[in-house]
Amino acid sequence: MQIEQSRIDELNAQLESGHKRNFEFHAASLSNVEAVIEKLIAFQVAIPSWALGAGGTRFGRFSIGGEPGNLEEKIEDVGLLHKLNQSSGAISLHIPWDIPSDAAKIKALAAHHGLVFDAMNSNTFQDQPGQKLSYKYGSLQNVDKGIRQQAVDHNLEVIKYGKELGSNSLTVWLSDGSSFPGQLNFRKAFQNTLEGLQDIYAGLPEDWKVFVEYKAFEPNFYSMSVGDWGQSLLYASKLGPKAYTLVDLGHHLPNANIEQIVSLLLMEKKLGGFHFNDSKYGDDDLTVGSMRPYQLFLIFRELVEGMDARGMNHAKDLGWMIDASHNIKDPLEDLLQSVEAIQIAYAQALLVDDMALDEARESNDVVRAQEILQQAFRTDVRSVVAEARRRSGAAIDPLGAYRAMKIRDTLIGERGAVTKATGL
Ligand code: LRH
Ligand code: MN
């Protein structure tokens, strides 16, 4: 299905006067509102192709109906999100779940929906039907040279698909590690993994980046061979200038200070991008900003400060991606909420009075420093984010529009009630 612009304009017209009053009231007290709106319009978040169906856990999965059954329908669904918020202009594919049958056709279909292809994701955490060698004991870390080579070859194949689609980055997340003390020689596992990543790095086109995604635990529960930001930074530093770390918000041990990790990786010019989600316990892959919105704001604070300190382009110089799994919510509603939460945290981070904060820090005025941050976090920027959407031709209220248009019912009508999208 496709959404007609006239339908969005119609729904916006119904909200126009209330929105205008709300926006003008809030904008009146914001000195840099136009600059914030400009940045919000430019800021695009990539949607994961593996999160357009109902996710699940080992305990069960509950179909949502109308799920995309192939890559074309996944692109169509991201096209729906982008039409509604004009902030989801990219899709991140996972191979082999999303192998393009005809890359040129797929690229044209994406362009038709105003989409580009963000980072490609390899998969050496599952054994595919007909696969010769198993990744049961790991992929790049594996004691078996043949299995390590199979994993390298897979990643080079993923790069090939990415080149055909116009992507320019590869995310490597390795489930490798161990689940019992004694199982693994950590140093050998590191060396094997580094050699494998070096072979993959050697296969990167000139203008590509490789993101090394770390994770503290799961599916291994004693050690992970890329277990934290330090290990990811070690790999990325040894690999070379095209290698970066990738921060998935759900991949940290409890109470980790992620905003500090982000500020240091950015300072070291080794922060490549994000997998945004939220969590209370483990890698829960929940809606962004649904559990710890203040942490998300603090992360964007470090991003804005660190990127401005290096003159970076907020919209283009880092990989902004969502990585979530929808066990009980409609995936498209969940993703609309996540993009909104990201835009709100970014807008609030842009409101912070940098000069005043520096002064407070330089004079150890801890109370003043906290007040300056929380002033921004406690500022209601929802109408500013909505105004950015309105100006970019999107829905003032994407979630309201999604429901008013009964999109899920239409998708169920088109695709059936019992469907399963490839992915997690
Ligand atoms: C691992 C991960 C990784 C993806 C997978 C779908 O937990 O975050 O980024 O490959 O989820
Ligand atoms: Mn991830």
Side-chain angles (χ1 to χ4, degrees), residues 99-121:
I99 291 177
S101 47
D102 172 336
K105 201 162 117 292
I106 290 290
K107 199 175 175 186
L109 176 64
H112 169 71
H113 288 282
L115 306 177
V116 295
F117 290 94
D118 204 295
M120 303 292 289
N121 296 267

Side-chain angles (χ1 to χ4, degrees), residues 154-211:
H154 164 68
N155 279 277
L156 297 177
E157 187 197 3
V158 173
I159 292 171
K160 180 178 72 59
Y161 289 125
K163 279 161 58 178
E164 292 168 356
L165 294 169
S167 171
N168 64 5
S169 56
L170 168 71
T171 295
V172 178
W173 171 66
L174 301 172
S175 60
D176 293 17
S178 63
S179 280
F180 297 92
Q183 175 185 344
L184 204 60
N185 176 317
F186 297 136
R187 286 171 282 103
K188 277 199 185 143
F190 183 93
Q191 285 308 332
N192 287 346
T193 302
L194 179 60
E195 277 164 30
L197 288 171
Q198 284 165 334
D199 293 345
I200 294 166
Y201 189 92
L204 284 177
E206 205 35 50
D207 63 343
W208 272 54
K209 295 177 177 178
V210 60
F211 301 139

